[in-house]
Amino acid sequence: MKVNIGIVGYGNLGKAVEQSVLSNTNFNLVAIFSRRNVTSKFNTKIEHYENFTEYVGKIDVMVLCGGSMCDLEIQTPEISRYFDTINTFDTHKKLPSEFEKLNKIAKKYGHRVIMACGWDPGIFSIIRCLFKAISKKEPITFWGKGVSMGHSDAIRRIDGVLDGVQFTIPNIDAVRLARLNKLDADVPKHFRECFVVAEPKNHIKIEHEIKNIPNYFKGQPTNVTFVSGEKLLRLKSKLCHKGQVISSFNSVHGTKNKMEFLVSMESNPNFTASIVTAYINAIINLKEMKLVGAFTNLDIPVSFLFLGKEKDNLIKNLC
Amino acid sequence: MKVNIGIVGYGNLGKAVEQSVLSNTNFNLVAIFSRRNVTSKFNTKIEHYENFTEYVGKIDVMVLCGGSMCDLEIQTPEISRYFDTINTFDTHKKLPSEFEKLNKIAKKYGHRVIMACGWDPGIFSIIRCLFKAISKKEPITFWGKGVSMGHSDAIRRIDGVLDGVQFTIPNIDAVRLARLNKLDADVPKHFRECFVVAEPKNHIKIEHEIKNIPNYFKGQPTNVTFVSGEKLLRLKSKLCHKGQVISSFNSVHGTKNKMEFLVSMESNPNFTASIVTAYINAIINLKEMKLVGAFTNLDIPVSFLFLGKEKDNLIKNLC
C-alpha cells in the first residue's frame, strides 16, 4: 500500500519535497495545496489551500512547506485537525509553545504532528541531545556560511530598511577552540555579514540600529554593507549552507574525546526536503503504534524512518 | 529516587563504567560482579559473578562489561532473566541472532535489554540509519587509526601465532573520495597493519595465512610485522581510536549535500563507558512505558536519554 501524500505550500521547499516524494516508489503524491496560482512541471494536481478538507480519507500525510514566519503557525493547527502532518517550523524560541499547542490539537483530533523537522532544528537537535547525554555538557553549534532567516528578518524590521539579508559566518578560531574543549564564552562564535538596501541618508542610523539589536547582533562582530536592490536579490538567491555540532569532553581519568557532526549543502531547501520526506515513514510507524500527539525528532527512534522489510533488516544492514 | 546499578565484569570497560556511574548523582552503584579476585579503589562492593541473583530487587539495571568474544553471549541471557541489562556486544555479524535470542528471553521474563550499545555498533548505527533514510544510499564508515578486536582475534587464531594485534588505518584517499561522492568499490577503504609474535621459522607461513583470511584481510592492503612479546604488549595497550561515517549525495535538481559524523578518543573503553552509562536512563524510560524486550540504539529515541525536568526541557534547551 502506497502512502498518499499532500504538500501544502509551493515555494522552494514545496518544489523540492514534490520531487523527493515523486522519486520514492512507496509514495503517491495526491495534490499540492497553494493559495497562489501555481503550476507543477510534473503535472501534480494543484488545489487551492482552502480545499484541503475535501481530501480527508484520500491523503495520509500532509507535508507543510510554508514559512515559519507567516504560514506554519496558522496552517499546522488548521490542517492537523484533519490530517497527520509534518512541518519544518524553525523559530527556536517558539518551539515549546508550538509543541504544546500542536500536541493538544493532535491528541484531540487523533492525529500525529512531527514538527521542526529540518536540519536545525531537526537532525541537529538529535545530535545535540545525543552529545549532551554522552558528554554531560552543552554541545556547541556553528552555522554557515549561509543565510540566517531570523537575522535577515530582524534587519528588515528596522525603519528605513528596504530589503536586507544576513550571512552567518563561523569564526574558525572558535571552531578550533571548540574542538580542543577550550572555547570560552567571550570568543565570538560567528561573524554577521549584513547586506542592506536603504536610502543613503538613513545609512548611518540603520548601521547603528542593526549593530545594537539585542540577542541578534549586539556584542557580536557585525559588518553592514549597503548595496543596490539588484545586488541584494542576487545575494538572497544563494541557498548554500553549512553547519556543525561539536562536543569535546574528558572521560574518567581525563582521557579526551571528540564528537563532531557536519552538514553542508548547495541548496538549503533541497536538503531540508530530503529530511522532511524521510520522516513521512515515521508518521506511518507512529500510526501503526496507535500513538497520537505532537513529536519532535527527539521523540522518534531512527528505526521509524523505515518500513517493512527494510525496517526488519536494519540490525543486519546498518547496526 | 536513584537508579540502582550493578556492573558485571571489571576490565577496562567495567572500571570506566564504575567511574561514570559514580560521577552521576542520579545513580547508586550497588555492586560489581566479577569471576576474578578484584578490588575497587573506590571501595565499590565486589561480588562473585555467581551471586548476582541475590541482588534481585536491589539492582535496577545491570551494565554488562564483559567481552563480546567469551562473556556477553553467555552472561547477557543469564542475567536478563533477572534484571534489565545493557551490553556493548560488538560482533556485527552475530547481532541479528543475538537480538532474536535476547528479545525472547527479555519478553519471557519481563525485562529490557539494550544491546550493542557502544560507538560502533551503537551511536554509529544511529547515524548510518539517519544518513541512509535521508540520502537513500549506503553511508560509508571508516575506522581508525585504532585496534580492531575482530581482526586481532582472527590473527591470533592462526596456528603458530603466539600473540597479535591489528591496527586499522583509514585510507585518506578513500575518505576524500567518499566526501566527494566518488568512492568506487575497488578503492581500499582501510590499510591493515598487523603486529605478530611468532617463532621465526613460522613467519613466512603466518604472513601468507594472515593475508589470505577471507573477509578480514584477503584483497585488502595488509602489512605484517613480527615483533617481540614485549613490544606487542606495548602496542596492545594503545587504547586510542577514531571513526567517521560519511554520506555525500545529490538532492533533486542535482544539488550536492554532505553529512559527516566523526568521533575520536584517547581511550576506547572510557568513551564507550560514557555511551553505555548514558543509555541507563533509556532503560528507565522504557520501563516507565511498560515496554519489554530487546532494543538496539536504533529503537530508542534520544529523548529517552534524559529523565524528569531535563527531559521536559529538551525542546527548549536542545532543539
Side-chain angles (χ1 to χ4, degrees), chain B residues 256-318:
Chain B
K256 289 177 190 152
N257 310 286
K258 185 166 71 71
M259 303 183 283
E260 192 166 341
F261 183 79
L262 305 98
V263 298
S264 63
M265 65 214 77
E266 288 183 341
S267 160
N268 194 345
N270 288 2
F271 181 57
T272 302
S274 301
I275 297 167
V276 74
T277 312
Y279 274 82
I280 292 173
N281 284 344
I283 293 271
I284 308 306
N285 276 296
L286 291 167
K287 195 171 179 177
E288 271 183 16
M289 295 188 70
K290 302 191 194 305
L291 295 169
V292 295
F295 302 85
T296 69
N297 303 68
L298 306 184
D299 306 310
I300 299 170
V302 289
S303 60
F304 277 25
L305 303 177
F306 295 87
L307 297 173
K309 272 220 177 99
E310 261 201 315
K311 193 179 177 202
D312 296 337
N313 288 325
L314 284 178
I315 294 181
K316 185 170 160 232
N317 295 333
L318 290 174

Side-chain angles (χ1 to χ4, degrees), chain A residues 212-319:
Chain A
N212 283 288
I213 305 177
N215 302 319
Y216 284 88
F217 296 101
K218 198 172 177 174
Q220 298 185 49
T222 301
N223 195 36
V224 179
T225 307
F226 291 93
V227 296
S228 67
E230 196 189 325
K231 173 93 190 270
L232 197 95
L233 284 180
R234 276 205 308 279
L235 286 165
K236 279 170 88 173
S237 72
K238 287 190 193 298
L239 301 174
C240 56
H241 218 314
K242 277 190 182 186
Q244 64 202 101
V245 187
I246 296 173
S247 178
S248 255
F249 70 103
N250 292 345
S251 290
V252 293
H253 308 295
T255 59
K256 289 178 190 149
N257 309 286
K258 185 166 70 71
M259 302 183 283
E260 192 166 343
F261 184 78
L262 304 98
V263 299
S264 63
M265 65 213 76
E266 287 183 342
S267 161
N268 195 344
N270 288 1
F271 181 56
T272 302
S274 301
I275 297 167
V276 75
T277 311
Y279 273 81
I280 292 173
N281 284 344
I283 293 271
I284 308 307
N285 277 296
L286 291 168
K287 196 171 179 177
E288 271 183 15
M289 293 188 71
K290 300 189 194 309
L291 296 169
V292 295
F295 302 86
T296 69
N297 302 67
L298 306 183
D299 305 310
I300 298 171
V302 289
S303 61
F304 276 25
L305 303 177
F306 295 88
L307 298 173
K309 272 222 176 98
E310 260 200 316
K311 193 178 179 204
D312 295 338
N313 288 325
L314 284 178
I315 293 181
K316 188 173 157 226
N317 295 332
L318 289 173
C319 254

Side-chain angles (χ1 to χ4, degrees), chain A residues 35-53:
Chain A
R35 290 188 193 282
R36 294 177 297 135
N37 188 13
V38 295
T39 52
S40 157
K41 68 174 174 176
F42 300 99
N43 293 319
T44 308
K45 187 173 186 183
I46 308 285
E47 276 283 1
H48 192 272
Y49 176 78
E50 301 293 342
N51 299 336
F52 71 82
T53 53

Side-chain angles (χ1 to χ4, degrees), chain B residues 143-296:
Chain B
W143 299 274
K145 182 179 177 179
V147 170
S148 162
M149 292 307 297
H151 287 79
S152 300
D153 290 332
I155 290 171
R156 287 193 289 261
R157 279 194 293 267
I158 290 175
D159 222 35
V161 169
L162 301 173
D163 203 354
V165 68
Q166 191 257 202
F167 289 88
T168 303
I169 299 163
N171 175 1
I172 55 165
D173 283 328
V175 173
R176 187 179 52 76
L177 290 165
R179 286 182 176 138
L180 294 169
N181 196 9
K182 285 180 181 168
L183 181 61
D184 295 324
D186 61 342
V187 177
K189 285 169 59 195
H190 297 98
F191 300 111
R192 307 281 171 195
E193 194 72 53
C194 311
F195 297 94
V196 181
V197 183
E199 295 285 329
K201 62 174 181 184
N202 295 325
H203 285 188
I204 291 171
K205 172 195 98 72
I206 287 170
E207 177 165 350
H208 178 79
E209 282 191 39
I210 289 174
K211 290 183 171 173
N212 284 287
I213 304 177
N215 302 318
Y216 286 88
F217 297 101
K218 197 171 179 175
Q220 298 186 50
T222 302
N223 195 36
V224 179
T225 306
F226 291 93
V227 296
S228 67
E230 196 190 327
K231 172 94 190 272
L232 196 95
L233 284 180
R234 276 204 309 278
L235 286 164
K236 278 170 89 175
S237 72
K238 286 190 193 299
L239 300 174
C240 56
H241 218 313
K242 277 190 182 185
Q244 65 202 100
V245 187
I246 295 174
S247 178
S248 255
F249 70 103
N250 292 345
S251 290
V252 295
H253 309 294
T255 58
K256 289 177 190 152
N257 310 286
K258 185 166 71 71
M259 303 183 283
E260 192 166 341
F261 183 79
L262 305 98
V263 298
S264 63
M265 65 214 77
E266 288 183 341
S267 160
N268 194 345
N270 288 2
F271 181 57
T272 302
S274 301
I275 297 167
V276 74
T277 312
Y279 274 82
I280 292 173
N281 284 344
I283 293 271
I284 308 306
N285 276 296
L286 291 167
K287 195 171 179 177
E288 271 183 16
M289 295 188 70
K290 302 191 194 305
L291 295 169
V292 295
F295 302 85
T296 69

Side-chain angles (χ1 to χ4, degrees), chain B residues 65-116:
Chain B
C65 300
S68 292
M69 283 294 283
C70 313
D71 305 323
L72 294 176
E73 280 177 83
I74 310 293
Q75 294 177 352
T76 316
E78 272 179 0
I79 299 172
S80 299
R81 290 172 58 164
Y82 301 91
F83 298 95
D84 290 351
T85 57
I86 313 183
N87 80 21
T88 57
F89 187 75
D90 64 358
T91 310
H92 279 265
K93 65 180 177 182
K94 287 190 180 174
L95 290 174
S97 60
E98 275 295 295
F99 183 86
E100 208 177 321
K101 180 177 87 183
L102 294 173
N103 194 37
K104 273 185 197 154
I105 291 168
K107 285 193 164 156
K108 182 170 173 186
Y109 294 94
H111 292 125
R112 289 138 285 271
V113 183
I114 301 178
M115 62 170 266

